[in-house]
């Protein structure tokens, strides 16, 4: 296997996101379609069923800087959420508490991050955690 | 990293030893399937005097699939979108393994000379082109001056 360069990997991810070819439980796209560097992304995660998150939609921002995908993106919740891996004052996802970022692999993607966060919400220890008011935000 | 196929090595060598006029393509040292490309804007086109940077990548299945190419320099063209993605038949359904990196780059250079607003990627630009071609060309010239000319 050869190594796909950052920009072409992000273009592939964008195309998958734009055409809705991926999972229905999440969505993602560029914040600014004029951003030739493709750094700043928006994402959403649909709360998993049979949990306190059911029927909620969480908004996130994802920053894929120059070192992506060698290094993980910086992922931040905009919607307030009570999860152990999310900083409660900033919404930032802590790579030390979230394996997908902490043990990042080049083959991962924005979609994998969003779907793994969704799994995190559905964990037995997390799915009943008291949640902030729906629609509240970190900014 | 896996060994580079002979075909890619040959193509790369020829691009350097026998370059196409107005086009350069140099592989990155750390990824020989990834090329840094420049194309000079063709004479008598709105892109004249501009130097456009592009990036090109040969996927694993090349030459069974087309190279991936994108403009890195902002350009006002009905078949190139705001992210630099190119709508060109030979990059998609009309790709054939008989084509090469150089033929693809020549096709892109030709696309700059002959914008095709009837097969657009960038709808706003294509509509501008159809509505008022002279005005669209003027915008394209402005973009060339702004983004594709070394100051």
């Amino acid at each position: 296997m050869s190594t796909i360069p950052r920009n072409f990997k992000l273009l592939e991810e964008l195309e998958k996101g734009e055409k809705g070819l991926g999972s229905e439980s999440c969505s993602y796209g560029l914040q600014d379609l004029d951003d030739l560097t493709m750094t700043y992304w928006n994402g959403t995660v649909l709360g998993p069923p049979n949990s306190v998150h059911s029927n909620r939609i969480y908004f996130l921002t994802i920053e894929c800087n120059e070192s992506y995908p060698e290094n993980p993106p910086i992922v931040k919740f905009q919607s307030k959420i009570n999860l152990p891996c999310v900083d409660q004052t900033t919404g930032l996802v802590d790579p030390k508490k979230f394996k997908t970022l902490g043990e990042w692999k080049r083959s991962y993607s924005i979609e994998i991050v969003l779907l793994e966060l969704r799994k995190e919400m559905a964990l037995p220890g997390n799915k009943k955690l008291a949640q902030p008011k729906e629609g509240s935000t970190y900014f | 990293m896996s060994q580079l196929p002979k075909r890619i090595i040959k193509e790369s060598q020829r691009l350097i030893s026998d370059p196409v006029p107005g086009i350069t393509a140099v592989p990155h040292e750390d990824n020989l399937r990834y090329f840094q490309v420049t194309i000079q804007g063709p004479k008598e086109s709105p892109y004249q005097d501009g130097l456009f940077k592009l990036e090109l990548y040969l996927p694993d299945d090349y030459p069974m699939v087309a190279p991936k190419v994108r403009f890195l320099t902002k350009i006002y063209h009905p078949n190139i979108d705001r992210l630099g993605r190119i709508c060109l038949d030979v990059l998609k359904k009309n790709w054939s393994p008989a084509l090469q990196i150089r033929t693809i780059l020549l096709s892109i250079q030709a696309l700059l000379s002959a914008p095709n607003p009837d097969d657009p990627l960038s709808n706003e630009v294509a509509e501008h082109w159809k509505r008022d071609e002279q005005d669209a060309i003027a915008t394209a010239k402005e973009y060339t001056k702004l983004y594709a000319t070394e100051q």
Side-chain angles (χ1 to χ4, degrees), chain A residues 63-136:
Chain A
E63 181 185 337
C64 301
N65 59 30
E66 268 306 303
S67 69
Y68 180 87
E70 262 64 40
N71 293 315
I74 299 164
V75 184
K76 206 170 166 182
F77 273 86
Q78 304 290 299
S79 317
K80 280 199 173 174
I81 185 168
N82 181 14
L83 266 186
C85 63
V86 178
D87 183 297
Q88 284 310 303
T89 51
T90 60
L92 208 63
V93 179
D94 184 352
K96 290 192 200 84
K97 295 177 186 159
F98 181 56
K99 240 176 45 188
T100 309
L101 297 182
E103 294 169 29
W104 177 256
K105 290 192 177 66
R106 201 184 195 282
S107 57
Y108 289 179
S109 61
I110 294 170
E111 179 172 276
I112 288 178
V113 171
L114 297 176
L115 292 178
E116 288 301 317
L117 280 171
R118 187 166 188 260
K119 282 188 196 160
E120 202 76 11
M121 298 173 197
L123 288 179
N126 293 343
K127 68 177 184 184
K128 287 180 184 157
L129 288 175
Q131 293 301 320
K133 193 168 148 278
E134 194 171 351
S136 51

Side-chain angles (χ1 to χ4, degrees), chain A residues 1-5 7-8 11-12 14 18 30 33-36 38, chain B residues 2 31 33-34 55 57 60 68-72 74 82-85:
Chain A
M1 284 288 279
S2 57
T3 311
I4 183 166
N7 292 352
F8 288 103
L11 283 173
E12 275 183 10
L14 181 68
E18 278 177 340
L30 276 179
L33 275 173
D34 275 317
D35 175 17
L36 284 162
M38 298 179 283
Chain B
S2 53
N31 187 349
R33 287 173 171 269
Y34 185 31
E55 54 185 349
Y57 173 62
D60 281 334
K68 306 219 177 252
V69 197
R70 178 175 85 117
F71 274 82
L72 289 168
K74 256 187 190 306
R82 293 189 285 169
L83 285 175
R85 293 181 288 189

Side-chain angles (χ1 to χ4, degrees), chain B residues 90-125:
Chain B
V90 286
L91 285 176
K92 297 189 176 107
K93 60 177 196 298
N94 287 349
W95 167 253
S96 138
L99 298 172
Q100 299 185 7
I101 300 171
R102 64 196 299 129
T103 41
I104 285 299
L105 295 178
L106 277 166
S107 303
I108 294 171
Q109 198 181 38
L111 186 69
L112 296 185
S113 291
N116 178 8
D118 293 318
D119 182 21
L121 192 61
S122 178
N123 269 313
E124 291 160 44
V125 181

Side-chain angles (χ1 to χ4, degrees), chain B:
Chain B
M1 204 167 122
S2 53
Q3 222 198 326
L4 205 63
K6 223 177 231 161
R7 158 148 177 176
I8 297 181
I9 297 173
K10 276 194 157 170
E11 280 200 51
S12 307
Q13 284 171 337
R14 198 166 154 232
L15 281 166
I16 290 162
S17 63
D18 178 19
V20 192
I23 295 175
T24 66
V26 183
H28 286 255
E29 262 173 42
D30 57 352
N31 187 349
L32 296 172
R33 287 173 171 269
Y34 185 31
F35 292 73
Q36 206 169 330
V37 175
T38 65
I39 297 182
Q40 275 173 19
K43 284 224 165 64
E44 278 150 47
S45 79
Y47 313 101
Q48 180 174 341
D49 299 329
L51 184 69
F52 296 87
K53 288 184 189 149
L54 296 88
E55 54 185 349
L56 179 147
Y57 173 62
L58 304 171
D60 281 334
D61 296 335
Y62 181 82
M64 295 321 291
V65 302
K68 306 219 177 252
V69 197
R70 178 175 85 117
F71 274 82
L72 289 168
T73 304
K74 256 187 190 306
I75 180 165
Y76 199 75
H77 189 293
N79 309 102
I80 301 164
D81 79 2
R82 293 189 285 169
L83 285 175
R85 293 181 288 189
I86 307 161
C87 179
L88 185 63
D89 55 352
V90 286
L91 285 176
K92 297 189 176 107
K93 60 177 196 298
N94 287 349
W95 167 253
S96 138
L99 298 172
Q100 299 185 7
I101 300 171
R102 64 196 299 129
T103 41
I104 285 299
L105 295 178
L106 277 166
S107 303
I108 294 171
Q109 198 181 38
L111 186 69
L112 296 185
S113 291
N116 178 8
D118 293 318
D119 182 21
L121 192 61
S122 178
N123 269 313
E124 291 160 44
V125 181
E127 270 161 32
H128 190 189
W129 225 274
K130 286 195 209 169
R131 196 176 58 237
D132 187 346
E133 190 174 340
Q134 285 318 308
D135 193 55
I137 287 174
T139 308
K141 282 183 181 164
E142 252 167 61
Y143 267 56
T144 304
K145 207 171 166 189
L146 258 174
Y147 302 112
T149 318
E150 294 286 329
Q151 296 295 329

